[in-house]
Amino acid sequence: MKKGIHPKNYRIVVFQDIASKKKIFCKSTVETKNVITIKNKVYPLYKMEVSSFSHPIYIGKLKYINKAGRIEKFNARYSSYKNR
């Protein structure tokens, strides 16, 4: 790896999901304006709108489109053109 290109200001940051209010502790260089106190220790706070705690694909609320039904409808509609 090249030397001198990576940031040196890594620190523990709390990432909070706004929708679920869950928190994730992670080392990061992200700039924050907010702080949070947890167990008498002050951490920088970064608020996220979506994370794996609230994203529909991770919590099982994602609705899939029935692609097979759409293809069958297309083929039925345009099957007369194939026989020409």
Side-chain angles (χ1 to χ4, degrees):
M1 294 183 114
K2 291 185 179 181
K3 296 190 185 263
I5 62 170
H6 298 286
K8 301 200 185 295
N9 59 341
Y10 283 101
R11 69 215 187 283
I12 302 251
V13 177
V14 177
F15 291 87
Q16 182 180 19
D17 185 337
I18 296 171
S20 68
K21 304 293 184 199
K22 298 216 178 191
K23 298 171 188 74
I24 303 168
F25 290 82
C26 186
K27 280 190 169 183
S28 178
T29 61
V30 67
E31 296 294 325
T32 63
K33 295 180 182 177
N34 301 328
V35 294
I36 189 169
T37 304
I38 299 174
K39 294 184 181 180
N40 296 327
K41 195 164 183 182
V42 178
Y43 296 100
L45 175 66
Y46 184 81
K47 295 182 180 179
M48 302 181 293
E49 293 182 16
V50 177
S51 74
S52 60
F53 294 115
S54 64
H55 194 279
I57 199 163
Y58 290 105
I59 61 174
K61 294 186 178 179
L62 183 67
K63 295 180 182 176
Y64 291 98
I65 297 172
N66 184 1
K67 291 184 180 180
R70 293 173 69 189
I71 293 170
E72 290 168 359
K73 286 180 186 178
F74 177 84
N75 288 337
R77 187 178 303 148
Y78 295 105
S79 63
S80 63
Y81 290 109
K82 286 196 268 184
N83 298 331
R84 289 184 182 184

